[in-house]
Amino acid sequence: MKTPWLALFALILLTSLPTSCSDGESPDDSPVTPVETEVPMEEEPEIEEEEVEQEPEEEQEENEEDEEDEVGEENSTDILGTITLTGDETSDVGTSLEVAHIAVGRADLTGTTKSVILTDENTPITEEGPDPKNFNKGFVLIGGDDLDTLSDDGVVKDISMVIFIDSVEYRFGCSVPPGGTFTDCGEAYNINFEEKEMVFDSTTVSNTETGVILTLDGTIRWQ
């Protein structure tokens, strides 16, 4: 295939990569009276000062706990959907791909706005492109649709995908119509940019080295 995002796909594969009172005195004696009244008056401010000093410490601890909760929520990653895998090669690559990052219409990376990039939770999509952090388990999938208005080789739809397992790269691809090492994706594979969903329905991709077929099923939606 001659599509520009395949060149990007090859680039991704080459990129590596990380809080008292006195005793004996009567209370009726006048000299004793002022002494008795002064003692509690001196103790009262001390009690008030201790209470004032304790309250800010308690509030500070509560604020620190709230801040930790907020940071945890910001750093969390939601799973957007799961793609189920079937085929002989699932013994090597696993039986599912959990999508945690998505980029739609990144023409600067794929060469077309009619594209979607899907990655796992350890592969954020930066300004420069997908940035894998864990080569022991992860994936990058780039899909295109409505390409007939842009492609000069007759390709309408395609998928380029790499799966990382224990630092080994398994590369797959498909296109409609098929060509080269890419098998036919199947008619049910579809990206609906208006409805914001990507549908894999018995979608087939082939290993670009061995030709082994992997089947993808699942729907990924975005906001």
Side-chain angles (χ1 to χ4, degrees):
M1 252 178 87
K2 300 179 182 178
T3 49
W5 49 92
L6 290 184
L8 167 68
F9 174 70
L11 252 172
I12 295 171
L13 300 183
L14 296 176
T15 304
S16 61
L17 304 145
T19 239
S20 69
C21 295
S22 301
D23 293 338
E25 300 227 37
S26 170
D28 296 331
D29 295 338
S30 58
V32 176
T33 304
V35 176
E36 292 178 342
T37 56
E38 288 178 0
V39 171
M41 290 178 65
E42 291 177 355
E43 292 179 351
E44 289 179 357
E46 292 179 359
I47 295 174
E48 292 178 356
E49 289 178 0
E50 291 178 357
E51 293 177 353
V52 171
E53 291 176 357
Q54 291 176 354
E55 289 178 357
E57 292 178 358
E58 294 176 354
E59 291 178 358
Q60 184 176 358
E61 291 178 357
E62 292 178 356
N63 292 335
E64 288 177 354
E65 291 177 357
D66 291 341
E67 290 177 359
E68 290 177 357
D69 292 341
E70 290 177 359
V71 171
E73 291 176 358
E74 290 176 359
N75 291 338
S76 64
T77 302
D78 295 330
I79 300 303
L80 303 177
T82 301
I83 302 171
T84 301
L85 308 178
T86 54
D88 293 339
E89 214 154 11
T90 54
S91 58
D92 295 320
V93 301
T95 58
S96 65
L97 304 174
E98 291 190 337
V99 179
H101 299 282
I102 184 169
V104 181
R106 288 291 300 273
D108 57 319
L109 299 177
T110 65
T112 173
T113 57
K114 299 295 186 178
S115 62
V116 175
I117 303 174
L118 306 177
T119 66
D120 64 282
E121 61 181 351
N122 295 314
T123 306
I125 304 172
T126 68
E127 289 298 320
E128 289 74 28
D131 185 17
K133 303 296 185 182
N134 183 4
F135 285 93
N136 290 322
K137 185 177 182 181
F139 73 94
V140 176
L141 186 154
I142 303 174
D145 200 347
D146 294 336
L147 301 177
D148 51 328
T149 58
L150 304 170
S151 175
D152 57 0
D153 55 7
V155 174
V156 178
K157 307 176 183 181
D158 69 355
I159 294 174
S160 296
M161 178 174 67
V162 58
I163 300 176
F164 309 103
I165 300 293
D166 296 330
S167 298
V168 177
E169 300 174 356
Y170 298 85
R171 290 172 283 180
F172 300 88
C174 71
S175 63
V176 179
T181 59
F182 280 22
T183 190
D184 194 328
C185 298
E187 295 181 358
Y189 164 58
N190 180 60
I191 304 176
N192 191 321
F193 294 96
E194 293 183 357
E195 296 295 329
K196 298 181 179 180
E197 66 176 17
M198 188 173 187
V199 178
F200 302 93
D201 185 356
S202 296
T203 301
T204 53
V205 294
S206 57
N207 187 307
T208 58
E209 294 183 359
T210 65
V212 175
I213 298 296
L214 197 64
T215 302
L216 286 64
D217 286 282
T219 299
I220 306 300
R221 296 181 175 88
W222 63 91
Q223 299 297 321

